[in-house]
Amino acid sequence: MNKKIYTTRLKLRPFVPADLTGLRAIVENEEIAEMASFRVAANAFESDYFLQQLMQPNIWAMTIKQTSEVIGSVGLYPVVGDNHERDPLKLELGYMLNQDFWGRGYMTEAVQSILNHTFHENSAYVVLASTYAENKRSAAILEHLSFKKVGEHVLPASVLNPVSRQENFYQLTAQAFIEGGHYATH
């Protein structure tokens, strides 16, 4: 399902090696890393490693149609169940966006389009997502697209997490997506 997807303002496509410069502006930014829950890349080598991880099925580079500038990523990741096997009907949504483009609706546009294609492919999918409670922008995207909050967990302070943080968990079914008015039939 890693075909190119076009929205009003964006082209979503697989990542390529030439995307390193645009990706560095995202993965080397501490505020983005903190909100998206990844370790900030310290240099070009670490950013390139990050890029290699994004060059897989069901992960798209978000680019502006007119300029082809990489401004973010959106992906659907496999979910492993309690039996340690991949659940074929569950996917986890993950995304990150260059801070210069926050608040303009690009992520909502990209995620809505990805979900539309996903539920067209198989209406039995359940899409999961999580965000830290303080990441109000991310929660707003999920709630706008009809994700329902299904739980929360407080992550204790640790070496990787200097302060305890609340993580909120969401899920979305095709039915909720359709009832929310976000499902395109074309």
Side-chain angles (χ1 to χ4, degrees), residues 26-27 29-41 132:
I26 301 165
V27 301
N29 180 303
E30 286 187 35
E31 188 172 354
I32 295 170
E34 184 177 330
M35 288 300 195
S37 186
F38 64 85
R39 189 177 70 82
V40 68
Y132 291 129

Side-chain angles (χ1 to χ4, degrees), residues 12-180:
L12 308 174
R13 57 157 176 80
F15 275 94
V16 296
D19 293 332
L20 182 59
T21 301
L23 186 63
R24 286 188 73 184
I26 301 165
V27 301
E28 293 180 21
N29 180 303
E30 286 187 35
E31 188 172 354
I32 295 170
E34 184 177 330
M35 288 300 195
S37 186
F38 64 85
R39 189 177 70 82
V40 68
N43 52 45
F45 177 79
E46 288 184 9
S47 293
D48 184 59
Y49 180 78
F50 209 117
L51 175 63
Q52 299 308 312
Q53 302 309 303
L54 294 173
M55 295 172 66
Q56 59 181 303
N58 298 326
I59 301 175
W60 292 265
M62 292 174 56
T63 65
I64 302 290
K65 268 187 187 176
Q66 285 72 19
T67 65
S68 298
E69 176 183 8
V70 174
I71 64 167
S73 74
V74 61
L76 294 169
Y77 301 86
V79 173
V80 176
D82 293 336
N83 61 358
H84 305 288
E85 304 260 336
R86 184 181 178 284
D87 187 325
L89 295 178
K90 289 187 178 174
L91 301 166
E92 184 167 5
L93 175 67
Y95 48 79
M96 59 186 173
L97 183 65
N98 183 316
Q99 196 169 10
D100 295 342
F101 296 89
W102 288 3
R104 299 187 198 178
Y106 286 115
M107 190 55 72
T108 300
E109 185 175 324
V111 172
Q112 181 173 343
S113 184
I114 294 296
L115 292 171
N116 196 44
H117 284 275
T118 300
F119 290 132
H120 263 60
E121 182 180 286
N122 187 342
S123 63
Y125 280 132
V126 175
V127 179
L128 309 175
S130 68
T131 186
Y132 291 129
E134 69 268 17
N135 190 344
K136 303 294 185 200
R137 288 179 188 270
S138 186
I141 291 167
L142 298 174
E143 291 165 7
H144 172 76
L145 294 172
S146 303
F147 278 82
K148 301 297 180 224
K149 184 176 171 186
V150 294
E152 58 189 48
H153 174 74
V154 175
L155 300 167
S158 69
V159 173
L160 297 175
N161 230 13
V163 296
S164 67
R165 300 172 88 178
Q166 179 178 318
E167 185 174 17
N168 295 330
F169 300 96
Y170 296 83
Q171 80 173 23
L172 179 68
T173 62
Q175 181 178 348
F177 191 60
I178 292 166
E179 289 172 0

